[in-house]
Amino acid sequence: MKLPPLSAKLLPWYEKNKRPLPWRDTRDPYRIWVSEIMLQQTQVKTVIPYYHRWLDAFPDIKTLAKAPLSKVLKLWEGLGYYRRAKNLHETAKLIVKNYAGRFPSEPEAIYSLSGIGKYTGGAILSIAFGKQAPILDGNVARILSRIFALNDPVDTPKGLKKLWELAALLLPEKNPGDFNQSMMELGATLCLPQEPACLICPVSGFCQARQTGTEQDYPRKSGKTKIKKVRAACAVVRHGDRLLITQRPDNGLWAHLWEFPTFRITDKEDGGDFLKKQLQTAGLKAKSIAHKTSLKRTYTDHSENLEVYACELTSETSATPSSADSPFSGQWVKLHELKRFAFSSAHAKIIREYL
Ligand code: SF4
């Protein structure tokens, strides 16, 4: 396949049109790493204030490595996908231990770090170290699918393999970092999923989808990814002026974060009745349980309807979930003390909007 000289068109366009984002002024691998991790699954405008706050608190790898996990999670609060913060913290410790706190520059070393996959590794290698490392995210996959009118679905191993190969073959010898960033920028600003701005696109002359008027038909998807729907019930338990919060286990989703007691429920269960039983098992007697709101949480493979209930305990209840059979262990805190704890986005929203 003869490859079009994309970089000759893209690099001058990028130089002239790139948005002035804070992580674009640096070649510091630590800062690029932090920005790339924050930008996964999260919009640029949301990330910017988090990025500044993070660097104010942890200006370098050593400071991050020394920080307690609770502080790291608190700074990440509201950004979602907390495993990212935990990985940054763990990896910073590892870099201090194995590389004296200096970010490694060799591909094998970078790709072996926890939480750094092919995409993030490629971004760090190319942008910070000027190495020939490709990147492929949703934006780049969409652009390449359209330019080459690729019929292999992008969510299949075959489609992905082809895209990675193309991303590598198209990299120029000079400025691979700028080329990668120009692809991300094109995908974020012109080659949008809906209504791509082909009229002002610098590579429209090479774009097969554009030439056949089929931009909207790409990227192809296999349609095999089914989103499962699940339910959860959450109890905001009050006893006088205190609220019951629990901490998630060390592993899994939202590890270490705090939340109001939350349980997965089946389609048939009534959330209020279920919570009442759970509280009883913990030795807590509910005076009232009322449904307040429902929040939707979306993940890669499932979406969750989180039903939030306000629970008031009877005055004679001893406010400690102490029974040996208790389905949770908790801590009672006053409303103003909640800000000391890191909560997942949904629970932070409950505090912000319903308490
Ligand atoms: S011409 Fe249109 S579809 Fe093709 S890369 Fe440019 S914006 Fe995307």
Side-chain angles (χ1 to χ4, degrees):
M1 182 194 300
K2 191 167 179 293
L3 292 172
L6 277 198
S7 65
K9 293 280 182 195
L10 265 181
L11 288 172
W13 169 83
Y14 175 65
E15 204 41 50
K16 211 165 142 201
N17 295 284
K18 64 183 172 193
R19 292 165 295 168
L21 303 176
W23 43 88
R24 291 214 166 126
D25 297 334
T26 182
R27 291 276 180 266
D28 177 349
Y30 168 64
R31 288 171 182 242
I32 292 161
W33 173 42
V34 170
S35 70
E36 289 299 336
I37 298 292
M38 285 187 170
L39 286 164
Q40 289 168 8
Q41 330 269 357
T42 314
Q43 290 186 342
V44 166
K45 69 173 191 307
T46 309
V47 165
I48 291 174
Y50 279 91
Y51 177 78
H52 287 306
R53 279 199 295 270
W54 182 277
L55 290 177
D56 285 346
F58 314 127
D60 50 45
I61 293 177
K62 286 181 181 162
T63 319
L64 172 59
K66 268 192 264 164
L69 180 60
S70 56
K71 184 174 177 187
V72 172
L73 292 174
K74 187 67 193 163
L75 270 170
W76 200 270
E77 191 180 69
L79 208 47
Y81 297 94
Y82 289 82
R83 156 85 18 212
R84 297 181 293 172
K86 220 175 148 217
N87 278 340
L88 279 169
H89 190 227
E90 279 167 10
T91 303
K93 287 195 220 169
L94 201 128
I95 293 174
V96 167
K97 188 167 160 236
N98 295 350
Y99 303 98
R102 286 178 65 85
F103 209 98
S105 59
E106 289 311 311
E108 304 72 44
I110 290 183
Y111 289 123
S112 72
L113 295 171
S114 166
I116 298 192
K118 253 173 121 180
Y119 171 81
T120 309
I124 296 169
L125 281 162
S126 62
I127 300 168
F129 299 110
K131 297 202 173 172
Q132 298 276 120
I135 57 159
L136 183 74
D137 65 353
N139 281 337
V140 178
R142 185 169 61 253
I143 298 167
L144 294 178
S145 296
R146 287 171 170 170
I147 289 180
F148 294 95
L150 297 176
N151 285 319
D152 289 318
V154 293
D155 52 353
T156 60
K158 192 176 170 206
L160 280 172
K161 185 166 175 277
K162 194 172 265 179
L163 287 165
W164 274 107
E165 282 166 6
L166 281 169
L169 287 169
L170 288 164
L171 270 177
E173 273 177 32
K174 267 175 123 184
N175 295 332
D178 279 356
F179 176 76
N180 281 340
Q181 293 197 82
S182 69
M183 289 287 276
M184 298 185 217
E185 191 71 356
L186 185 73
T189 60
L190 298 186
C191 195
L192 303 168
Q194 311 297 329
E195 299 183 19
C198 303
L199 283 176
I200 52 169
C201 172
V203 294
S204 61
F206 306 130
C207 181
Q208 294 183 34
R210 168 71 179 154
Q211 281 151 23
T212 50
T214 54
E215 306 90 81
Q216 302 282 8
D217 295 344
Y218 298 94
R220 302 259 200 243
K221 297 254 174 81
S222 68
K224 279 187 189 144
T225 321
K226 274 224 172 88
I227 300 290
K228 209 170 54 183
K229 288 188 177 168
V230 298
R231 289 172 71 213
C234 159
V236 179
V237 185
R238 263 182 206 276
H239 192 262
D241 62 350
R242 289 181 300 158
L243 294 148
L244 180 61
I245 57 173
T246 62
Q247 190 170 26
R248 307 265 319 170
D250 293 351
N251 288 305
L253 211 52
W254 308 299
H256 296 286
L257 292 183
W258 290 84
E259 64 181 18
F260 300 105
T262 298
F263 306 89
R264 216 21 109 61
I265 54 175
T266 65
D267 278 350
K268 292 189 187 116
E269 269 156 340
D270 176 88
D273 291 345
F274 182 90
L275 289 174
K276 204 170 184 175
K277 276 190 217 136
Q278 296 298 314
L279 293 173
Q280 260 167 13
T281 317
L284 301 173
K285 209 163 167 204
K287 184 166 70 179
S288 65
I289 294 194
H291 181 243
K292 283 290 165 199
T293 188
S294 292
L295 304 172
K296 196 162 176 207
R297 306 203 269 192
T298 309
Y299 309 94
T300 331
D301 61 345
H302 71 278
S303 76
E304 180 189 80
N305 194 40
L306 180 69
E307 298 167 19
V308 183
Y309 290 81
C311 309
E312 196 76 43
L313 297 186
T314 56
S315 53
E316 66 271 18
T317 301
S318 151
T320 320
S322 53
S323 153
D325 299 330
S326 170
F328 53 84
S329 61
Q331 191 166 327
W332 289 93
V333 291
K334 293 193 172 167
L335 186 58
H336 72 270
E337 292 171 328
L338 289 173
K339 59 178 177 295
R340 293 205 330 256
F341 301 84
F343 288 85
S344 70
S345 310
H347 290 260
K349 187 171 181 183
I350 295 170
I351 296 169
R352 239 182 7 255
E353 297 185 10
Y354 304 103
L355 293 184

